[in-house]
Amino acid sequence: LPRLGLRFEGFRRVRGIVKKRLGRRMRELGVTDYRAWLEAHDDEWPELARMCRIPISRFHPSRVDD
């Protein structure tokens, strides 16, 4: 995450979502060691960055004063 400039502190469930995406990608590539794949294939870094980006939306209700 630091190499990609990302951090997930404070966001629950993000880790699980990213793990699922990584697992799916590893099956697509037919690899068991994704770190070794990344080291051997520099063009995979943008794909990893895409998989780690999770849209987060939060609703902050406005306070209405009477």
Side-chain angles (χ1 to χ4, degrees):
L1 291 174
R3 185 169 173 176
L4 296 172
L6 302 172
R7 44 179 252 258
F8 293 150
E9 296 95 26
F11 297 104
R12 290 187 267 162
R13 295 190 221 147
V14 171
R15 181 182 174 133
I17 293 169
V18 172
K19 282 177 65 173
K20 284 182 185 179
R21 291 178 180 181
L22 286 173
R24 187 177 324 127
R25 181 66 177 160
M26 289 172 64
R27 285 189 301 278
E28 288 172 4
L29 296 171
V31 300
T32 56
D33 187 349
Y34 190 67
R35 175 178 261 171
W37 180 265
L38 279 172
E39 291 171 1
H41 300 87
D42 286 337
D43 58 330
E44 183 68 17
W45 283 98
E47 182 64 24
L48 175 62
R50 187 190 64 75
M51 287 187 290
C52 289
R53 299 208 186 276
I54 308 293
I56 304 292
S57 61
R58 292 186 178 169
F59 177 74
H60 296 282
S62 299
R63 188 175 146 193
V64 179
D65 293 324
D66 292 317

